[in-house]
Structures are given as structure tokens and as C-alpha cells.
Amino acid sequence: MPHPQTIVILTGAGISAESGIATFRGPGGLWEGHRVEDVCTPAALAADPVLVHRFYDARRAALGGVVPNAAHAALARLDAGWRGELLIVTQNVDDLHERAGTRRLLHMHGELRSALCAACGSRGPHDGPLPPGSVCGGCGAGAVRPDIVFFGEMPYAMERIEAALATADLFVSIGTSGAVYPAAGFVQTARAHGAATLELNLARSAGSGWFDESRLGAAGALVPDWVDSLLAVQPLP
Ligand code: APR
């Protein structure tokens, strides 16, 4: 692979697996007996807000018991040290990338420690339980919900992500099954614009065939090695 200047990294649930956060698909991929597709929809929220809010309250509370792992730490090291352009796009709603110290980060599927007013669209930090009907401090509507992008809703920051993919010369996917679009299509967009593409994942994914190279293994082992090799060839100041 030629030496890159401009890098886009996509992360998924696999990067947080070694921190003890369950992935969505694969063994143990059911969350408390709920298929994620049955809870993460606007229709589910309308039909049973108590269930959906309780589900995310539990996920939010669980963040208190986990810490970033070696893969999060390595990406934070890359963010701090990489002199070229870098954007880390995560599908994860946990806060382990930022707790590791990563700053050039976008949460395309929302954040557990954030709340969204369904009436006025304002978003802001939130911790602790979020009961259905919570009142928005901005507009006063009792319409505050978890700030999670549900199936059928538009992910955040797509324009910025598409622009970054169009100029990237390296696209790297870490710990994602490639099952959910639009993120699953990022590799194709980056390729179409001429980027080299690398996958770091425990097992082959639905998108493996699109990557120039797939390295199979645990993120906690693969990502630090890859970051070391990249920092060794980074662009001159
Ligand atoms: N290291 C690297 N990869 C791992 C590890 C690990 N330790 N453990 C698991 N994986 C891989 C699995 O092999 C799988 O390919 O991580 C991937 C996790 O896939 P999913 O559970 O489907 O998670 P993700 O791709 O992030 O899901 C995408 O689906 O439900 C939605 O919105 C939710 O953002 C999520 C989206």
C-alpha cells in the first residue's frame, strides 16, 4: 500500500468487544432477549416507550463498568500523532473512543450519553436514566428520547463523512460486520475515489470482498500493530 496522507477509519461494535460490550450480531448478539432491530426503530419507540427507554437506560448505565481497551488507546495515539488528515467515524454509541482521548471523531449512530428532543431536534449531554416524556430544557416539550439513530433514520454527519471518503487515500474498517448501511457502503465509496482499503476484524465480514486487504484477529492485538506501522511512515511536517 502506498504511504497515505488522508485517512478515514470506520469502527463498529467489534472494537468495544474486548472492553466487555456485547456486539449486535453473532454469538451472544441478543441484548436481553431483544433483537436490536426490534428495539431500535421509531415504531418500537412509539409502541412501547417504556421498554425502549429502559433498554437504553441499561446500556447507558453499563458504560460505568467498562473502560477503553488497547484498540481504542491505539486510535487515540494515532489521532494525537498523525500529521495528515484523519477522521474516525464510529457506529458505536458507547463513549470509549473519547474516553481513550480520540478527538477527530464522529458518532454516526448517536451516543448513549446524549439525549435528543424529538420536538425541536436539540441534542445535549445526558447521563443517568431518561424516563419517557422527559421535558426538553429548550422548547419545553415532553419529547426527550435517547440520542440514538434508529433503523430507518438518517445517520449523523453524512455530508461530512461522504466528503472525507471522497478525499481519503486510505480507508480502514475495524470491528464491523458490514451488515448495516450506509456504513457498510463506505468501503465502496472510498474505493471508487481511489483509496486503498484495509479491514481489521475478528472474522471475515459481509464486506470483506471489497477490501484490498483483510487482517483477521482481535482488535486489541491488530490495531496497535497497525497504528505503529502507520506512525512510522507518516507524512513530513
Ligand atoms: N476484534 C475485532 N473484531 C471483532 C471482535 C474483536 N475483539 N469481536 C467481534 N468482532 C467483529 C465480529 O466478527 C463482527 O464482524 O465485530 C463485528 C461486529 O458486528 P456487529 O455486531 O454487526 O456490529 P456492527 O457492525 O457495529 O453493527 C452495525 O448495527 O444494530 C446496528 O446500529 C447498530 O451500529 C450498529 C450497526
Side-chain angles (χ1 to χ4, degrees), residues 115-117 122 126 130-145:
L116 165 71
C117 176
S122 67
H126 177 86
L130 180 66
S134 294
V135 173
C136 173
C139 74
V144 179
R145 54 168 264 192

Side-chain angles (χ1 to χ4, degrees), residues 12-15 17-18 23-25 36 91-92 109 151 175-180 200-203 205 217-220:
I15 198 167
E18 289 158 81
T23 60
F24 297 95
R25 299 170 183 82
V36 73
Q91 298 168 89
N92 298 344
H109 289 169
F151 284 97
T176 178
S177 61
V180 175
L200 306 176
N201 209 50
L202 193 59
S205 73

Side-chain angles (χ1 to χ4, degrees), residues 155-166:
Y156 289 123
M158 283 306 297
E159 275 185 25
R160 218 178 126 193
I161 295 168
E162 293 287 345
L165 291 169

Side-chain angles (χ1 to χ4, degrees), residues 11-19 21-26 29 31 36-37 40 56 69 71 90-93 108-109 148-151 174-181 183 199-206 217-223:
T11 69
I15 198 167
S16 295
E18 289 158 81
S19 292
I21 299 180
T23 60
F24 297 95
R25 299 170 183 82
W31 275 1
V36 73
E37 289 84 352
C40 304
Y56 287 105
N69 64 52
T90 188
Q91 298 168 89
N92 298 344
V93 295
M108 66 177 290
H109 289 169
I148 303 293
V149 176
F150 289 149
F151 284 97
I174 303 172
T176 178
S177 61
V180 175
Y181 281 82
E199 176 181 58
L200 306 176
N201 209 50
L202 193 59
R204 279 184 69 80
S205 73
L222 291 181
V223 178

